[in-house]
Amino acid sequence: MSAPARRRLGSGGVEVTELSFGAAGIGNLYSPITDDQAAMALDHAWTAGIRYFDTAPHYGLGLSERRLGEALRGRDRSSYVLSTKVGRILEPAAEVSGDDLADGGFAVPRTHRRVWDFSADGVRRSLDASLTRLRVDRVDVVFLHDPDDHGEEAFREGYPALEKLRSEGVVGAIGAGMNQAEMLTRFVRDTDVDAVLCAGRYTLLDHRALAELLPAASARGASVVIGGVFNSGLLADPRPGARFDYTEAPPELLARARALAAVAERHGTTLRAAALAFPFGHPAVASVLVGIHAPEQVTDAAAQFAAPVPAGFWQEIRERGLLPEGVPLPGDARVPAPGDIRDDMTGPVPGRDRP
């Protein structure tokens, strides 16, 4: 199995592997894992050729960053790319009680509390703390994390602080990471971000990023990292009770996912392989970020990513109306203009402020 290819973020010098490691899971997202299990998952990712790792202070109240730093310690720092996020300061809790599942979704003791802070000082303090947890002297990419309800401060103070860090050579690339496409489009159009991380809004079931974000990124020379390609699990295993964007999938989406899976089976591929391949139909996409917490997940993701998806699969899902007209697919010769896209398959974005 060949290692994933690399693509550049924007016009800068940071290159990421097309398949990347989302580290929320090793922060005990929803359920606990051991330090050894996290280390094994990361070792398997390294062996599979994955060299881009994304984390955040939010993930397990710093646990994800600590585990990632420990696993990467001793490896050639120039051989991999690290991204983390700013916008939530971790402050020690006055009293340690219970766990973080209700507040943040992570099975860790509530040792800290998250404080929203997109100020210039907050950005630097957050990054300094992340560097300590990661045991490195630099990260390659920093994203403003979920500024949905803090847009004014993020644009007025947070983004200029990142731009200054980039100009000082402290970080190589900057951007924003969100579960929506609309504000990310504003970042692409109104700032000089290298990349944005768009979670769940460009998948086989949800194409909102195609309306404005992806065309804007192409026009400005910015890159898009796509997270949530399985939409919380529905596109990995579409069985009753599967999640879509952190909640149980509604019947109509479950039916569509099952129809996609049936087409994939007829063409000798899998829904997982198609979900991983789909975003690369658009040239602005640089990487797909897969949440991983176990070695077997790495093995499966790498195998599915490397597996070619037959052209007949893409043709049939178009013919059957399982994708809107005009959505670009791998192998397409032409990327459509925004006006070409007709998509009534998506609704409101649930799950804001989730990993």
Side-chain angles (χ1 to χ4, degrees):
M1 185 186 303
S2 60
R6 298 188 184 224
R7 297 193 185 197
R8 181 174 296 181
L9 295 182
S11 58
V14 177
E15 292 187 346
V16 297
T17 46
E18 291 180 335
L19 179 64
S20 44
F21 188 108
I26 65 167
N28 289 3
L29 179 63
Y30 302 131
S31 60
I33 64 170
T34 66
D35 290 344
D36 286 345
Q37 287 171 320
M40 287 178 61
L42 287 156
D43 283 344
H44 274 64
W46 191 271
T47 300
I50 294 172
R51 295 293 184 270
Y52 173 32
F53 303 88
D54 174 75
T55 185
H58 172 53
Y59 302 159
L61 296 173
L63 179 62
S64 172
E65 289 183 320
R66 290 193 297 273
R67 283 175 166 170
L68 188 56
E70 177 63 26
L72 293 173
R73 187 172 57 157
R75 303 188 192 271
D76 179 4
R77 181 63 189 88
S78 65
S79 66
Y80 63 88
V81 169
L82 273 179
S83 62
T84 193
K85 306 180 184 75
V86 295
R88 292 172 171 92
I89 299 289
L90 300 182
E91 294 189 350
E95 181 180 342
V96 179
S97 62
D99 59 43
D100 182 59
L101 280 168
D103 292 337
F106 294 89
V108 296
R110 197 183 300 148
T111 56
H112 291 72
R113 64 188 187 96
R114 301 173 180 85
V115 178
W116 290 104
D117 191 341
F118 288 94
S119 69
D121 178 67
V123 165
R124 285 190 175 265
R125 287 195 296 125
S126 180
L127 181 56
D128 286 344
S130 290
L131 293 174
T132 298
R133 289 188 289 267
L134 287 163
R135 301 186 182 192
V136 294
D137 59 5
R138 64 180 174 85
V139 293
D140 304 281
V141 189
V142 179
F143 294 113
L144 298 166
H145 197 187
D146 293 338
D148 304 70
D149 299 322
H150 308 270
E152 182 179 349
E153 185 178 44
F155 280 96
R156 185 184 67 245
E157 295 193 44
Y159 170 76
L162 289 187
E163 198 169 63
K164 187 174 183 182
L165 288 168
R166 184 179 60 185
S167 69
E168 294 170 352
V170 177
V171 300
I174 59 174
M178 305 179 72
N179 290 306
Q180 59 150 293
E182 293 75 17
M183 190 181 289
L184 291 181
T185 303
R186 182 182 168 195
F187 274 107
V188 168
R189 287 176 173 165
D190 296 350
T191 73
D192 187 32
V193 293
D194 300 284
V196 293
L197 197 170
C198 181
R201 305 285 75 84
Y202 196 55
T203 74
L204 282 170
L205 292 173
D206 189 325
H207 326 108
R208 262 167 282 194
L210 193 56
E212 294 185 333
L213 174 59
L214 289 165
S218 287
R220 296 297 298 268
S223 296
V224 181
V225 175
I226 299 296
V229 290
F230 299 134
N231 282 127
S232 299
L234 181 58
L235 285 171
D237 185 7
R239 56 183 165 182
R243 287 178 172 175
F244 175 83
D245 285 1
Y246 314 106
T247 61
E248 186 172 335
E252 63 275 14
L253 282 182
L254 176 61
R256 187 152 22 115
R258 291 173 71 87
L260 287 164
V263 176
E265 185 176 2
R266 280 198 295 276
H267 288 274
T269 187
T270 67
L271 182 57
R272 300 189 306 286
L276 288 165
F278 167 74
F280 291 102
H282 200 288
V285 174
S287 184
V288 291
L289 189 68
V290 179
I292 293 169
H293 67 266
E296 58 270 22
Q297 291 179 326
V298 177
T299 301
D300 182 72
Q304 299 299 326
F305 184 79
V309 179
F313 167 81
W314 304 117
Q315 181 180 349
E316 182 172 345
I317 63 173
R318 269 185 164 158
E319 291 172 349
R320 294 189 57 190
L322 292 171
L323 280 180
E325 286 291 329
V327 173
L329 296 173
D332 280 353
R334 183 184 77 91
V335 174
D340 293 342
I341 308 303
R342 298 193 300 276
D343 187 357
D344 58 359
M345 296 183 178
T346 55
V349 180
R352 183 178 284 188
D353 291 347
R354 303 302 293 179

